[in-house]
């Protein structure tokens, strides 16, 4: 047993480079672009709990509050000029209508004084009604293109979500599985940010062909830091 | 002298073939004035007489209780013929009835499908021979849908089934009609069922059947237990009269012949292989007719099997049986055993219960049995002749285990039984039941509360908690009432709760049950092909599936690693979807030595006896020389832990400082204690680095000299072991404990928060479920720490994986009774525990340290330092091992 006493108190927020643009990776699973002042998050899946409740699985109805709370802490840290949600911001089309009043005002408070862009995803193809911000299929950030679903084949400068990447490694005979940023330096796939969003191993076939052979690095999210693991060390589930 | 008495599982004695000692036995239990054959109706008396058989006293006693409509518990050692005794009253009643086919009369519930099938076979013979017009049918998960439907429309007279199937019938809209005719429920292996969640489920089902069938009488069949009163309470509804079921007990029989294996070989310091004893075990197998070899873990079973075959020069038919092997293969082994074709079986607890094999004449126990009841029940699997002793040999695997084996043997010979973990019924099981009841018939909340609290597991349940469970079933029971419009059950104007729609009932039916399997992967023989792009595909169609293996074990392996499974050394090729591909390996030694499975902690009773042997050097003479010498060294260099006090040793070793305590409370309690003590040592600036726990001891190591800290008044051991650690420290640890998350997941599935099986959906893999329940746990804990499901999980963990009750009792006992020995080097008694260092799992925030290490070492090895990472690892991290 190795104890937490050994962890250094300072957080590690590495800067990583996508198509030459320097982006800060936060252990909560968000990217910050210091040049434009934009904070990028993917796959919030707001109201996933109530979506399951409709079908009889009464998951705790606090996922939206948790996700927005996490986002609020990031907004406090970076004071971003813009927040860009990379699609699947709501778990289903009825999600915006099921927001509680408290969550709706929390969201409005986050949006105050900054740009807010809802990029559409497969779970939320239409702009979320009554939730502020502007909706868009894609966005650009300097030389970067932001969209929900990663395009097939190699893409320079694409920032996407959708796949919920997680990486698995074995250290000292133990498996560790964590959400991660997946990048080959040319493009990046963000981890899902939502409190109830599951994950898909980056070695899964769904990631096939996205990254230049041998160039994948998984930036795994720890409690206090983001850790770069070379693709060769990553394990399938 | 005739052939020896050999009662079969159906319980008859060949009276004409009794030898003298059997006569003596029967005379001793047949007191003057005992009921006799005359108590039986003619048809049965003739049948018994026609075969030269005599009904046994316990059979007649049960019959008398049945006639008086009294619930009864029959306690008998394995193989004493419980089953026919349980059925005889029903057979007679049905035979005497004017007409049969009047509906379901008797339900027999067994924990094992196989047992239900076997009993059906054993019952058919007497029924046919006496020409009784009785229809007997089995109902298990394997029964075809058509027959199940027919059983509901035209029920048999007797139904042989499992707790899960009974729960399903309770939730059927036809439940009222089906159960109203039931007169008797027979519960087999009650001692095994009652302390489990399946037992909770069954108790609730029985209460429901009682409500529907006013004439119901219960019969419990059990092995010998420590507290029969608990099982007697379990069988009754105290509202209907007697607070306890009648007790019928078969005692006597020859005392078992249990010996502890002695060896001239060197006894290892630690480990659980028992390799040193294989040649002698092999000899014993040769000398006996059939030998049953029990191991505590699958790893140990695998190793034993492999070692025996390595020296099996006569190619004796020796087989392997454990829960990970393919079901088909297990059935083949069982069939071969039943036909007497095997010389020995190496098994785990999978063979603890089940069909009796008459020919077993030796039981070998690899390693410490950990508890007296388990040892007695396993020993009882040998030789079902009441007048001859069952014979068992315990094989200690290491020096310390000798003590445990001696203690377990003493306890078993004294007839001591392990304390049953009586516990309040699970709230998760109750939630599943409440929804099931609603699926069957609309219910009144107060009436159902009365019904539920009539059962033993739920008698202490308060009305408010029950209300919370009902609310949980309806809408999740959250403070934030946002799910009212999605409610699964609703209270209508008539005040009755009903299920909201048929889809809810259908989903419930697909998820009934309280057994949550660890998520497993199929093990398949087959080669794989790697493409240039790095993808891995099966080469060809792949071979046969040889079994299943826990996912967490696979996680520790890298392709190319070898491990032992199914008696072979296999090479791990790849994981493709939910199957791991393996090939046979030529290597002699597996690279990945063990995998845990079914490790039981030491029971309090055996632990107390180990302490007593240690504390009394006059008893040491019976220990092997090597163990005696070792204890002698301990006496010289430190002190032998006595019964009243807790020995704590502190000493330096290899640049670090160790604290070793000897609580003898079992591995789970020690793990919990280790977690809490390291937190406190951290606050005391002892800079702890890690700990390891065994069944006897606990070792913590760190960077500060704890001997000096105690001497200088900087560290108080009394304060360190204070009971207040069960407050905030416990709370903080539970928040991140993976044990707690695993427990929560099981509760969430049983309670129906998460569905294992979804209608029309492809079966989810266990991995996805694990992921989402961890996320749910984190969210729920933060927002509603008192939620009913967290209470359920906490109760389970406290009794189970974290063994909190034992920790609490222990802390109370040792308060102000700590004996501290500062030493200049490791003590002899500490050696076994220090040899365990490095084999323990890692939790919570410590995973970050592993992530960082991986990031640094792996990345640097592979591609040199990456831009963007700031700083290196913490100083001393790598030297922490």
């Amino acid at each position: 047993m190795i104890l937490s006493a050994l962890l250094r108190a300072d957080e590690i927020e590495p800067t990583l480079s996508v198509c030459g643009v320097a982006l800060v990776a936060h252990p909560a699973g968000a990217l910050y672009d210091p040049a434009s002042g934009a904070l990028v998050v993917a796959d919030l899946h707001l109201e996933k709990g109530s979506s399951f409740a409709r079908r009889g699985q009464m998951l705790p109805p606090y996922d939206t509050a948790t996700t927005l709370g996490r986002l609020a802490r990031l907004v406090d840290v970076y004071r971003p000029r813009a927040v860009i949600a990379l699609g699947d911001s709501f778990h289903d089309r009825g999600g915006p209508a099921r927001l509680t009043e408290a969550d709706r005002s929390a969201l409005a408070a986050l949006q105050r004084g900054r740009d807010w862009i809802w990029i559409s995803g497969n779970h939320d193809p239409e702009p979320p009604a009554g939730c502020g911000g502007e909706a868009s299929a894609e966005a650009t950030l300097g030389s970067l293109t932001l969209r929900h679903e990663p395009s097939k084949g190699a893409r320079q400068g694409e920032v996407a979500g959708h796949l919920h990447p997680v990486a698995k490694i074995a250290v000292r005979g133990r498996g560790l599985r964590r959400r991660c940023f997946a990048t080959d330096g040319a493009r990046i796939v963000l981890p899902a940010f939502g409190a109830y969003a599951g994950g898909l191993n980056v070695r899964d076939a769904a990631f096939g062909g996205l990254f230049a052979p041998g160039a994948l690095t998984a930036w795994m999210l720890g409690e206090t830091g983001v850790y770069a693991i070379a693709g060769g060390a990553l394990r399938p589930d | 002298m005739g052939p020896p008495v050999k009662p079969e599982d159906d319980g008859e004695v060949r009276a004409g073939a009794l030898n003298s000692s059997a006569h003596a036995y029967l005379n001793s239990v047949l007191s003057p004035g005992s009921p006799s054959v005359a108590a039986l109706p003619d048809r049965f008396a003739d049948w018994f007489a026609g075969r030269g058989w005599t009904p046994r006293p316990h059979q007649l006693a049960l019959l008398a209780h049945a006639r008086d409509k009294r619930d009864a518990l029959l306690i008998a050692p394995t193989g004493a013929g419980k089953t026919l005794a349980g059925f005889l009253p029903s057979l007679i009643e049905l035979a005497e009835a004017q007409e049969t086919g009047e509906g379901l009369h008797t339900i027999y519930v067994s924990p094992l499908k196989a047992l239900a099938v076997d009993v059906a076979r054993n019952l058919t013979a007497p029924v046919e021979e006496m020409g009784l017009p009785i229809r007997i049918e089995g109902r298990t998960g394997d029964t075809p849908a058509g027959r199940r439907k027919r059983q509901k429309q035209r029920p048999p007279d007797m139904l042989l089934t499992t707790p899960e199937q009974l729960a399903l019938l309770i939730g059927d809209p036809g439940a009222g009609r089906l159960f109203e005719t039931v007169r008797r429920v027979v519960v087999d292996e009650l001692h095994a069922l009652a302390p489990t969640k399946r037992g909770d489920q069954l108790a609730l089902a029985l209460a429901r059947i009682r409500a529907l069938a006013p004439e119901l009488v219960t019969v419990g069949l059990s092995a010998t237990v420590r507290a029969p009163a608990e099982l007697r309470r379990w069988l009754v509804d105290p509202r209907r009269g007697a607070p306890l079921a009648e007790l019928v007990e078969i005692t006597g029989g020859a005392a078992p012949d249990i010996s502890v294996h002695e060896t001239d070989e060197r006894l290892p310091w630690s480990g659980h292989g028992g390799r040193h004893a294989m040649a002698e075990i092999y000899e014993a197998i040769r000398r006996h007719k059939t030998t049953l070899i029990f191991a505590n873990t699958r790893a140990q079973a695998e190793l034993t099997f492999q070692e025996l075959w390595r020296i099996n020069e006569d190619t004796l038919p020796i087989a392997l049986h454990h829960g990970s092997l393919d079901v088909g293969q297990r059935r083949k082994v069982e069939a071969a055993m039943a036909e007497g074709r095997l010389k020995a079986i190496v098994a785990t607890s999978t063979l603890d219960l089940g069909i009796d094999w008459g020919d077993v004449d030796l039981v070998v126990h690899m390693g410490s049995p950990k508890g007296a009841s388990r040892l007695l029940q396993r020993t009882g699997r040998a030789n079902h002749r009441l007048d001859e002793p069952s014979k068992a040999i315990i094989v200690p695997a290491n020096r310390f285990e000798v003590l445990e084996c001696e203690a377990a043997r003493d306890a078993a010979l004294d007839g001591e039984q392990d304390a049953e973990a009586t516990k309040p019924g699970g709230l998760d099981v109750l939630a599943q039941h409440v929804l099931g009841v609603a699926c069957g018939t609309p219910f009144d909340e107060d009436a159902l509360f009365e019904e539920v609290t009539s059962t033993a597991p739920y008698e202490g349940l308060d009305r408010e908690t029950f209300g919370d469970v009902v609310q949980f079933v309806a809408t999740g029971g959250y403070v934030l009432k946002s799910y009212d419009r999605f409610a699964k059950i609703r209270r209508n104007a008539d005040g009755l709760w009903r299920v909201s729609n048929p889809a809810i009932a259908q989903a419930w039916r697909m998820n009934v049950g309280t057994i949550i399997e660890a998520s497993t992967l199929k093990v398949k023989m087959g080669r794989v092909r790697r493409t240039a792009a790095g993808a891995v595909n099966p080469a060809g169609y792949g071979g046969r599936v040889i079994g299943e293996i826990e996912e967490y074990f696979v996680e520790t392996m890298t392709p190319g690693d070898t491990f032992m499974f199914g008696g072979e050394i296999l090479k791990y090729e790849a994981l493709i979807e939910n199957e791991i591909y393996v090939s046979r390996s030529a290597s002699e030694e597996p690279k990945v030595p063990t995998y845990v499975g079914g490790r039981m902690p030491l029971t309090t009773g055996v632990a107390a006896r180990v302490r007593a042997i240690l504390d009394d050097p006059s008893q040491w003479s019976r220990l092997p020389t090597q163990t005696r010498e070792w204890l002698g060294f301990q006496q010289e260099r430190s002190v032998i832990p006595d019964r009243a006090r807790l020995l704590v040793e502190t000493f330096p070793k290899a640049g670090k400082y160790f604290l070793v305590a000897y609580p003898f409370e079992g591995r789970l309690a020690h793990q919990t204690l280790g977690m809490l003590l390291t937190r406190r040592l951290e606050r005391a600036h002892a800079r702890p680095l890690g700990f390891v726990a065994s069944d006897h001891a606990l070792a913590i190591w760190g960077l500060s000299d704890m001997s000096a800290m105690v001497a200088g008044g900087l560290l108080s051991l009394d304060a360190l072991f204070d009971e207040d650690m069960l407050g905030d420290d416990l709370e903080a640890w539970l928040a991140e404990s993976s044990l707690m998350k695993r427990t929560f997941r099981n509760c969430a599935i049983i309670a129906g928060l998460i569905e294992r099986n979804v209608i029309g959906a492809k079966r989810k893999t266990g991995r996805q479920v694990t992921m989402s329940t961890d996320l749910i746990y984190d969210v729920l804990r933060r927002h509603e720490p008192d939620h009913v499901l967290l209470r359920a999980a906490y109760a389970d963990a406290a009794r189970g994986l974290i063994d909190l009750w034992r920790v609490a009792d222990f802390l109370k006992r040792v308060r102000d009774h700590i004996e501290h020995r500062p030493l200049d080097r490791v003590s002899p008694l500490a050696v076994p525990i220090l040899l365990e260092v490095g084999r323990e799992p890692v939790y919570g925030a410590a995973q970050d340290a592993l992530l960082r290490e991986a990031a640094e070492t792996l990345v640097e090895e592979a591609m040199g330092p990456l831009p963007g990472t700031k700083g290196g690892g913490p100083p001393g991290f790598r030297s922490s091992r």
Side-chain angles (χ1 to χ4, degrees), chain B residues 731-753:
Chain B
E731 199 56 18
W733 170 53
L734 286 183
E736 64 182 34
S737 161
S738 66
L739 298 176
M740 199 58 203
K741 286 180 177 171
R742 210 188 313 160
T743 308
F744 177 78
R745 170 179 176 265
N746 291 353
C747 288
I749 291 172
I750 292 170
L753 183 73

Side-chain angles (χ1 to χ4, degrees), chain A residues 1-3 6 14 49 54 56-62 66 168 172-174 178 222-224 227-228 235 237, chain B residues 478 483 486 488 555-557 575 688-690 753 755 782-784 840-842 846-848 853 859 868 874 881:
Chain A
M1 170 68 43
I2 303 135
L3 289 167
L6 283 170
R54 287 182 310 158
Q57 297 194 41
M58 307 293 175
L59 304 187
Y62 307 109
T66 303
K168 202 176 111 176
R172 298 185 180 190
R174 288 160 184 140
R178 290 300 176 95
E223 297 297 319
T224 56
Y227 306 92
R235 310 267 301 270
D237 275 329
Chain B
Y478 303 107
Y483 294 161
F486 308 129
K488 285 155 92 167
E555 280 177 359
T556 65
M557 291 196 298
L575 187 141
L689 294 171
L753 183 73
E755 288 167 8
R782 193 155 45 241
H783 287 86
E784 284 197 39
E840 70 290 357
V842 57
Q847 292 189 349
D848 259 44
E853 180 182 71
V859 171
R881 289 277 158 171

Side-chain angles (χ1 to χ4, degrees), chain B residues 359-396:
Chain B
D359 289 344
V360 176
D361 55 353
L362 176 67
V363 167
V364 173
H365 205 292
M366 299 302 295
S368 158
K370 303 285 177 193
S373 297
R374 188 176 309 114
L375 176 59
L376 278 171
Q377 278 160 27
R378 287 180 168 176
T379 303
R381 305 286 281 163
N383 195 353
H384 298 142
R385 303 167 202 184
L386 283 168
D387 58 322
E388 285 178 21
S390 305
K391 190 169 166 191
I393 303 173
I394 314 175
V395 182

